[in-house]
Amino acid sequence: MDNIIILDCGSQFTQLIARRIREMKVHSEILPWDTSIDEIKKRTPRGVIISGGPQSVHDEGSPTVSLDLFDLGVPVLGVCYGMQLLAKIFGGQVESGASREYGRTAIVVKNPEATLFMGISESFEVWMSHGDHIASLPEGFQLVAVTDKGVPAAFENRKRKIWGLQFHPEVAHTQNGTAILSKFLFDVCSCSGDWDLGNWIDTMVARIHKKTKGCQVICGLSGGVDSTVAAVLTAKAIGDRLECIFVNNGLLRHLEAERVLERYKALDLNVHYVDASHQFLQALRGVTDPERKRKIIGETFIRVFEAEASKIKDAEWLLQGTLYPDVIESGHKGKGASVIKSHHNVGGLPEDMKLKVLEPLRDLFKDEVRAIGRLLSVPPEIVDRQPFPGPGLAVRCLGEVTKERLDTLREADEIFREEFSKSDIYSSVWQAFCVLLPVRTVGVMGDSRTYSEVVALRAVESADGMTADWVRVPYDVLDRTARRICNTVKGINRVVLDVTSKPPSTIEWE
Ligand code: XMP
């Protein structure tokens, strides 16, 4: 399998480069910029890309690469910071200030015969994001394109197999970005473009079979796409040797446990179902602080899971649905990245379980996991499911979490989701849900005064949950939802709409 290594210098777009390359059916892998040359060699890459990054090449301790990289005979492409680093390493001049360019910029191709620009229009728009710029090129490097401010936008040194782009070919705003990357992959690195998810399934099934060598494997299922796809894939490899545990924490949505169990049955998974609702609600009694709620739920989950797992004899492996972004996030924290993502891994499992960890999806992005799920006939209700937080409705039931309040929230939530799912915008929404507020307001129903709680409607669109905007839900959907909730859900006499984006708010209210 052809492999392109991306050395990550901390750009917010590094993952996007990997995704674009995989979309072109070439496998790619992100490694920290300070990965040793032996590690790189071991992976026999077809090409290496040095990513962008927030620092200046002149900053002390800023990312750099070993000179040995250029003796491997492997083509190297530097993007943004990566290009400036190449210029600096080979004796060019990188200057700060004056020519900063952020966002859309026009570039002019000076050499239409240049490897990455052949057959591409002479002038087009690209996405820039740089403070420093290259003031003079290293010896032996040819200028390929410039910005309208005259700053080098691309260079090449064919003899040394080095290419540089000051702009980001991976972002959608860059015209011809895919064509340029494709030239690097196929014309320069001679990749064959045969990375295929169907093949991936066959290879992974064989690998899981070999790795687990007749032992039992335990898996915690949540009803979501990652754990389900990991389980279905593993069951394909080892059948009943996979034993899954599904914990009902009493914080699931309306009829969710029942629906999820039915789906697991249809998928032929071997599931131990534990209804621990009572235990969770007991532990949450009287607690209103959001962080304490999360902690209690996490700890209770571990206890319940351990108790059930201990009933499974001869278990040696713990299957987890870890994805590639999780691996990257936890793997190279602090090595030049300026954005730090907060994790909400309340469903985390105990480290002292003494089980070996099996993570078949750790190489994949979410959309690839969804595609694998479809290939494995996992139903759309799971594959396209909206994200649901580990602590469940507890973080949407503000104030004390009681069975009565959860039931109220579940009823209202079901109505909103039902009305919403009938609208055209449903499939484009990241999440749509209700939040029960610990606030009582006065109302009037059937000539009587009421003093009841309030439900907030939250619907957001987002690409990754990191930032989000509120969805302009059609008025008739809002109207029907509010009327149905007030008319049928006991204890609610007012419905409000959350119209904040993230930031400054978060998606969940707690
Ligand atoms: P926030 O509220 O931080 O949420 O804007 C971002 C995304 O993460 C989901 N979320 C969680 N997912 N465990 C999870 O697995 C959690 O504890 C958790 N908290 C929030 C949230 O639903 C949104 O999609």
Side-chain angles (χ1 to χ4, degrees):
M1 176 180 73
D2 297 337
N3 191 20
I4 297 287
I5 285 181
I6 302 164
L7 293 176
D8 182 19
C9 299
S11 163
Q12 54 180 323
F13 298 128
T14 304
Q15 287 196 28
L16 203 51
I17 304 180
R19 292 180 59 145
R20 289 281 173 267
I21 294 176
R22 290 184 183 199
E23 279 163 13
M24 287 186 260
K25 297 195 180 303
V26 176
H27 184 260
S28 70
E29 185 178 11
I30 301 172
L31 298 176
W33 56 264
D34 57 356
T35 303
S36 73
I37 203 74
D38 285 342
E39 273 302 312
I40 295 175
K41 252 198 307 229
K42 239 196 267 169
R43 291 169 152 84
T44 56
R46 284 251 163 214
V48 173
I49 296 180
I50 306 173
S51 85
Q55 284 170 282
S56 161
V57 289
H58 301 303
D59 289 349
E60 214 185 302
S62 57
T64 187
V65 294
S66 153
L67 284 179
D68 297 337
L69 178 66
F70 306 98
D71 294 333
L72 295 180
V74 169
V76 176
L77 170 67
V79 171
C80 193
Y81 176 93
M83 177 187 186
Q84 293 169 5
L85 182 63
L86 290 170
K88 183 181 168 210
I89 288 175
F90 288 95
Q93 241 189 322
V94 178
E95 281 179 0
S96 304
S99 288
R100 292 161 177 269
E101 282 169 303
Y102 296 99
R104 235 178 272 272
T105 309
I107 64 163
V108 177
V109 180
K110 292 285 180 199
N111 176 8
E113 295 300 307
T115 323
L116 303 186
F117 290 79
M118 234 181 271
I120 287 179
S121 53
E122 258 173 42
S123 163
F124 55 95
E125 282 191 343
V126 298
W127 192 259
M128 288 279 189
S129 179
H130 67 98
D132 292 357
H133 66 276
I134 295 172
S136 72
L137 261 47
E139 219 181 290
F141 284 63
Q142 287 82 44
L143 183 66
V144 170
V146 290
T147 73
D148 46 12
K149 284 187 178 169
V151 167
F155 64 41
E156 67 177 13
N157 182 337
R158 290 192 208 188
K159 211 163 135 210
R160 295 217 62 162
K161 296 193 185 171
I162 295 171
W163 286 264
L165 301 172
Q166 183 57 69
F167 57 90
H168 290 275
E170 67 278 13
V171 307
H173 304 281
T174 291
Q175 293 173 344
N176 301 315
T178 308
I180 293 169
L181 273 180
S182 149
K183 283 177 191 297
F184 180 69
L185 299 182
F186 301 110
D187 299 350
V188 174
C189 302
S190 309
C191 292
S192 50
D194 57 3
W195 157 251
D196 171 280
L197 291 176
N199 286 344
W200 183 93
I201 293 178
D202 294 342
T203 313
M204 192 48 76
V205 163
R207 207 181 288 172
I208 294 171
H209 194 269
K210 193 167 161 216
K211 206 167 181 181
T212 57
K213 287 198 202 102
C215 302
Q216 295 300 109
V217 179
I218 302 182
C219 165
L221 287 175
S222 70
V225 56
D226 307 340
S227 61
T228 308
V229 171
V232 173
L233 181 76
T234 305
K236 197 172 153 74
I238 64 169
D240 267 0
R241 279 201 285 114
L242 173 69
E243 301 200 42
C244 306
I245 300 174
F246 174 52
V247 176
N248 180 351
N249 57 10
L251 305 166
L252 303 175
R253 287 169 291 195
H254 181 66
L255 292 182
E256 192 162 16
E258 292 83 344
R259 287 173 184 160
V260 163
L261 278 173
E262 259 171 46
R263 286 175 201 141
Y264 287 155
K265 206 167 157 205
L267 286 168
D268 237 359
L269 290 174
N270 176 7
V271 179
H272 298 236
Y273 173 61
V274 190
D275 185 355
S277 315
H278 187 66
Q279 200 171 329
F280 278 87
L281 289 186
Q282 275 296 109
L284 285 167
R285 252 173 82 169
V287 178
T288 55
D289 177 71
E291 278 313 303
R292 272 203 67 213
K293 280 185 190 173
R294 281 176 178 269
K295 241 189 145 141
I296 289 170
I297 295 165
E299 286 164 7
T300 311
F301 180 84
I302 288 178
R303 275 205 302 278
V304 173
F305 189 89
E306 267 180 332
E308 193 59 30
S310 68
K311 296 180 195 161
I312 300 171
K313 292 214 170 62
D314 307 323
E316 288 227 352
W317 292 87
L318 179 69
L319 172 66
Q320 292 197 310
T322 317
L323 304 193
Y324 198 39
D326 309 325
V327 176
I328 302 166
E329 295 278 328
S330 44
H332 18 129
K333 240 180 246 163
K335 289 200 177 145
S338 65
V339 184
I340 294 150
K341 190 169 162 184
S342 56
H343 283 260
H344 310 268
N345 290 330
V346 287
L349 292 169
E351 278 168 16
D352 58 358
M353 276 189 79
K354 313 243 175 335
L355 294 172
K356 289 177 268 185
V357 178
L358 189 64
E359 295 175 315
L361 310 180
R362 62 177 283 126
D363 205 21
L364 302 179
F365 288 108
K366 189 92 173 182
D367 49 353
E368 291 171 326
V369 172
R370 291 207 161 102
I372 299 254
R374 287 186 198 102
L375 289 173
L376 290 169
S377 307
V378 176
E381 297 81 27
I382 295 180
V383 167
D384 302 322
R385 199 177 90 136
Q386 291 181 354
F388 187 63
L393 296 183
V395 293
R396 296 177 182 173
C397 186
L398 313 199
E400 191 178 357
V401 184
T402 63
K403 168 91 170 55
E404 294 67 38
R405 294 190 76 224
L406 285 170
D407 284 344
T408 303
L409 174 58
R410 272 191 265 264
E411 262 188 77
D413 189 63
E414 182 69 3
I415 291 173
F416 183 37
R417 292 195 305 128
E418 204 179 286
E419 289 298 338
F420 208 94
S421 64
K422 291 187 218 153
S423 73
D424 303 340
I425 52 171
Y426 184 71
S427 56
S428 61
V429 162
W430 176 262
Q431 274 168 309
F433 56 88
C434 284
V435 183
L436 182 63
L437 309 188
V439 174
R440 293 214 282 168
T441 70
V442 173
V444 53
M445 282 186 191
D447 294 333
S448 314
R449 176 188 191 271
T450 56
Y451 188 49
S452 312
E453 287 186 309
V454 181
V455 155
L457 309 180
R458 180 76 161 142
V460 294
E461 51 194 11
S462 173
D464 50 16
M466 299 291 292
T467 56
D469 196 9
W470 64 282
V471 172
R472 277 50 171 178
V473 186
Y475 279 179
D476 58 330
V477 174
L478 293 175
D479 182 46
R480 274 199 306 275
T481 304
R483 276 197 282 152
R484 275 186 66 193
I485 291 178
C486 288
N487 286 339
T488 59
V489 183
K490 228 174 120 229
I492 302 296
N493 66 357
R494 194 175 297 272
V495 176
V496 297
L497 177 68
D498 181 348
V499 291
T500 37
S501 57
K502 171 185 180 177
S505 295
T506 50
I507 296 176
E508 304 290 346
W509 280 40
E510 283 192 343

